[in-house]
Every structure is written in structure tokens, then in C-alpha cells.
Amino acid sequence: MPRRADRGHASLPFGEPVAQGASRVAGAGTAPADGGGQELPGNPWLTIAGLYDRVDRALAGALPADQVWVRGEVQSISDRTGHCYMDLVDPADGGGEPGRVPVLKAKCWRTTWAAVRRQLATAGAEITPGTVVLVRGTLDVYRPRGEIGFIVSQVDVTALLGAMAERRRALVEALRAEGLLDRNRSRPEPALPLRVGLVASPGTEGYKDFLGQLDASGYAFRVTVVPATVQGTLAPESVASAIAALGAAVVDVVVVVRGGGARGDLLAFDSEPVARAIATSALPVWTGIGHSGDQSVADLVAQHAHSTPTACGHAVVARVAEAARALGDASRSVLAGATQALERSHRAHVDARRRLAGAARGQLDRGAGAVSGRAIRLASQGRRAVQRAEDRVRQQAARPVPLVRLGLAAAARTVEGRRRLLAAYDVGRQLRRGYTLTYDAAGRVLRSVRQVQVGGSLATRFADGSARSTVAAVDVAPATGGAGGAAAEPGDAGPWPPEEERR
């Protein structure tokens, strides 16, 4: 088990004493037992071990024999293998330039640190960088490194709680001065909070307790969960970021829950990032943090604070149930009013129908005779009108027949002329008359001998097939001058198809 080195002995890591065989001297001018040095007349000198012995005696004479209290600001802290290591500086030097302010290397061994941690957790305190602590312990010289350290045996938790209470008070006052303490309470309260944005650590008891209330209610809640770390040094920023993320979500209320625990487990909800995130949220924020009796700064700035996650879930369900009851009362009132209005309308309708039926029967009786006479007259007039219409239809039906026949004959002649014209341009017909088509190797139609090259391949199409040939020679007819006209190409047979075919 780690223990503090006896006074006058250098200490190894974790306070283990130097082995009995280590080189030591009683003071200046005394040679070590192993002959590690010598004494010169008039020029005494010390071995390293002898120098540290003098340091040990100087420390023992300068400080109380038991232990001293030291007040310092935590510059860094780590908890490795159960031991706690802290770098302490004077509070006034906390923001000084590294390497230029005095630093005390403090160590708290595993057995002592476990007890201190329990005290801190019970009191709801935490030591983090920037915390000013009051610690008790002894100085320790670690000879292999030439380092003076401080072995912590006690932490003044009461002083630490006082500092934390002061920081909390200062935060609340700052929020009040900025108008943030009551800002979220001024947000419109959700009348029907069925869309819930939940900030919690999934799987924890607080998470389950809150959702259990919603699940058991039977209402159609839609919960958007943004996971967050709710304990430790990373918790403040994690919770604040989750609240900010829900500000852009489609929810009616943001709920922050964390189950019960030691007061130290709830420190994140006394932090400035969480308090400001809740206070400045555009949505109403409800909290259910810890258990009965706990009240954090987050609870102070929230629109509604509840003692536990279960109570918070119950409050959300109660608000929905209240809205449902109000809606049910309004529905019943509307239904009753509508029923009465329908009954009154039905009675008025029955009376009006009875009156209308009597009036209609009188009108029908009076109009029956007039209608009968008019019907007889109309029937006679109708027969005559029908007869006249039939005569006109027969006359008009006979007139279009000759015109239609003339039109059809003219259309037939036009169609026949166009058929003959199309036949004149039919390539197959020209091939049957003896004409041919000549193509080059690429399949292009050749229209001039100048397009033919010696040695080139030609394909000639006939009416009944095609033939392939190779050009042995090309004879180009000389150009014949005309009166300003171009020379005719050899083999040019004039326009195609011939004039007689086009006619």
C-alpha cells in the first residue's frame, strides 16, 4: 500500500522509501560509504544524496512537523489507476503564462483519494480545472527527478462547497441581470404537447421513467430523442448542444430529464452552458432532474421544473389530458347545440312541407284543366308541325346527292393523277425500263465519272439484281462550251424521270 516516506528520506513514486543500501551522507565533508566522493582540505563538497539530506532537514525545520494547509487553483487534474494528480497554482496566477508561474505538483494516493471522492459525491461537489481548493498534506522530495511534490491527505470539502455555492449565486445573479432567469417562462405554454423533444441519456432510469409515463397514457405522443451525457466534465456542453439541436426540430416542448443520484452527479445542471441553453431556447423547456428536494439552476430558468423524470412525464400527460378534456367538453357543447338546431330546423321543415303540400295540391287542381286543354291543342299543332318538318327533310335530303357524286368524281381524278406522278418517280420502274444505279464502295450513288477512281470498287444495281466491278480506266468527256452554259456530263440523259413519264 502506498505510504508517505519517513521524514529525512527521499521518496520514490507513490511514496515508497529509498532502499537501505542507497548512497547517503550525513552532511558536507563526509565521504559516502561506497567511496562515491572525497573531501578536499578547505573545499568541502557534497554528494547528491548529501545535498538532498540537507534539503530534507531544511524542509523539516521550515515546516510544521505534522502537515500544512495549502490553498491553490487546480490547473490540471487526472485520475490515473486510482491515484489523483493535480497541478496547483496561486489563484491570482491561474491565467498566467505557463512556465512562468509557480506550480505545486500535488498527489493524492489511491486509498486517500477514494475517501475524498466519496466525500465530494455526498456533498455534491467536484474538482475540475479552475476550482480553488484547500488541501492538507506534506511536502515530498522525489530524488530521481529532483522534484518537490505535495502529498494530499485531506481536502476541505466545506470550503469547496462554499466556493461552488458562490459560483451558483453569481450565475443566478448574472442570468437575472441579463433578463434570462424568466425568459423561458415567458414562452407560450404548449396547449397540446404531443410532440416532445427529449434530452436524456438513453437506457438510464430517468429516461425509462419519463417514457414510461407517456407510454402508459394511451395518447399518441411522438418523441424526438437527442442523446446527451448527463454526468461528468463533458455533460454541460453535451446537454446544452442537445437543447440547441431541438430548437430546430418540430416539437411542442423540450424536456430535460436526469434520474436521481448524489449531488455531485447533478453538477452539470448547475453549469452556465446548460442554464443559458434553456433560458435562450425558442421553445418551452420542462425539466425533471434528480429527486425530491433537488433544485438546480436549470430548474430555475426552465418554464416548468419537476422533482423527478416521472413527475415530469406525468405533467406532460396531464397537460395533454387537460387539453383532451377541454376538447371533449367543447365537442359535447357543439354537439348539443347542433342537435338542438337540427331539431328546430326539422320541426320548421315539417310545418313548411305541410303548408307547401296543401298549396301545391290547390295549384295542381286549378291548373289541371288548363293543362288538359293546352295538351289537346299542342298535340294537334305538334302533328302538323311534324308533318311539315318531314316534308322539308325529304326535300333537303334529295338535294346533296348530285353534289356528292360530282365531288367524288373530281377527287378520284385528282388521286389518279397523283398516282401516275408518283409512279413516274418510282426507282424500281426506271430499273425495269433498263436504267441502272451505280454506287461506290461506301454505298453512295455516283452521279459523275469524276467521282470514280481507277482501281475503285463499284456496285451496279439492276431491276433484277446487282453486280460488282473494279474500275480499270476512267474516260472523262471533254467539256463542250456553250453560250455561257456548263458542259454536259458524259452519260447525262437529261432530266429524270423522262417527260413522258411525268405526264
Side-chain angles (χ1 to χ4, degrees):
M1 179 179 297
R3 60 187 179 84
R4 182 176 62 82
D6 294 334
R7 179 65 67 188
H9 291 273
S11 63
L12 295 171
F14 312 138
E16 293 299 330
V18 176
Q20 295 298 322
S23 175
R24 300 177 56 86
V25 295
T30 304
D34 60 359
Q38 65 182 19
E39 182 178 358
L40 299 178
N43 186 24
W45 51 271
L46 295 172
T47 63
I48 303 301
L51 176 62
Y52 278 127
D53 286 340
R54 286 198 173 190
V55 171
D56 284 340
R57 287 197 298 273
L59 291 176
L63 296 175
D66 49 1
Q67 295 183 342
V68 295
W69 286 94
V70 176
R71 180 175 179 270
E73 179 181 326
V74 178
Q75 194 175 59
S76 66
I77 182 171
S78 62
D79 187 350
R80 302 192 301 269
T81 66
H83 306 298
C84 178
Y85 298 88
M86 293 182 286
D87 285 352
L88 302 179
V89 297
D90 286 327
D93 296 332
E97 182 178 353
R100 293 186 177 274
V101 297
V103 179
L104 178 63
K105 299 286 186 180
K107 300 177 283 290
C108 188
W109 305 133
R110 182 185 294 112
T111 52
T112 305
W113 179 239
V116 170
R117 271 192 311 193
R118 286 194 296 271
Q119 285 181 296
L120 293 173
T122 302
E126 185 178 16
I127 299 177
T128 58
T131 304
V132 177
V133 295
L134 188 60
V135 295
R136 185 183 184 188
T138 57
L139 279 178
D140 172 69
V141 179
Y142 181 42
R143 298 190 180 194
R145 291 184 185 171
E147 181 179 273
I148 296 179
F150 190 77
I151 307 301
V152 178
S153 61
Q154 185 179 349
V155 176
D156 191 339
V157 178
T158 303
L160 192 59
L161 287 175
M164 292 175 58
E166 176 60 24
R167 285 199 300 272
R168 172 179 166 133
R169 185 199 65 78
L171 175 58
V172 173
E173 289 301 321
L175 293 172
R176 179 179 286 109
E178 296 177 35
L180 297 178
L181 198 61
D182 300 320
R183 177 175 293 183
N184 197 259
R185 279 191 285 274
S186 67
R187 304 292 183 200
E189 294 196 11
L192 189 64
L194 286 173
R195 300 173 299 182
V196 178
L198 179 60
V199 177
S201 179
T204 59
E205 290 302 320
Y207 174 85
K208 295 176 182 177
D209 291 344
F210 177 80
L211 291 183
Q213 293 292 313
L214 271 57
D215 292 339
S217 69
Y219 294 117
F221 285 100
R222 188 179 72 184
V223 181
T224 301
V225 180
V226 179
T229 302
V230 295
Q231 181 177 337
T233 57
L234 300 179
E237 292 299 333
S238 178
V239 173
S241 298
I243 295 172
L246 284 172
V250 183
V251 296
D252 302 312
V253 64
V254 176
V255 175
V256 181
V257 298
R258 202 281 187 199
R263 291 181 60 187
D265 297 338
L266 307 178
L267 290 177
F269 301 97
D270 279 331
S271 66
E272 184 173 358
V274 173
R276 288 188 177 276
I278 293 175
T280 58
S281 174
L283 297 170
V285 180
W286 294 10
T287 58
I289 300 170
H291 40 63
S292 300
D294 294 327
Q295 187 181 44
S296 63
V297 178
D299 293 326
L300 292 177
V301 297
Q303 186 180 75
H304 288 292
H306 306 89
S307 57
T308 63
T310 300
C312 188
H314 178 74
V316 173
V317 172
R319 178 60 60 87
V320 174
E322 180 183 353
R325 284 194 298 272
L327 182 61
D329 293 342
S331 299
R332 286 188 290 273
S333 176
V334 171
L335 179 61
T339 301
Q340 294 174 1
L342 287 173
E343 290 176 351
R344 289 193 299 269
S345 177
H346 177 68
R347 289 193 295 270
H349 174 69
V350 170
D351 294 340
R353 185 174 59 185
R354 188 180 299 112
R355 292 193 299 270
L356 288 173
R361 281 194 294 271
Q363 291 288 344
L364 289 173
D365 291 341
R366 287 191 296 272
V371 170
S372 177
R374 291 179 181 177
I376 295 171
R377 292 195 298 273
L378 287 174
S380 176
Q381 294 173 359
R383 284 193 292 272
R384 291 195 296 272
V386 168
Q387 185 62 45
R388 289 195 296 271
E390 289 178 351
D391 293 341
R392 286 197 300 272
V393 168
R394 280 194 293 271
Q395 294 172 2
Q396 293 175 357
R399 289 159 59 187
V401 173
L403 298 176
V404 171
R405 289 173 180 167
L406 291 175
L408 289 176
R413 289 192 297 273
T414 301
V415 169
E416 179 60 24
R418 292 180 179 176
R419 185 188 64 77
R420 287 196 300 270
L421 179 60
L422 290 175
Y425 286 93
D426 184 6
V427 174
R429 181 176 179 183
Q430 301 308 319
L431 294 176
R432 288 192 293 274
R433 292 182 61 201
Y435 290 96
T436 62
L437 291 175
T438 303
Y439 303 88
D440 62 10
R444 293 186 294 267
V445 176
L446 297 177
R447 302 182 183 278
S448 171
V449 73
R450 292 183 176 85
Q451 296 177 266
V452 179
Q453 296 179 354
V454 176
S457 296
L458 300 179
T460 303
R461 178 181 172 186
F462 298 90
D464 57 351
S466 61
R468 295 186 180 276
S469 60
T470 302
V471 178
V474 175
D475 296 328
V476 179
T480 58
E489 295 290 339
D492 192 347
W496 182 85
E499 182 66 24
E500 64 272 14
E501 290 296 334
R502 284 184 285 172
R503 290 196 297 269

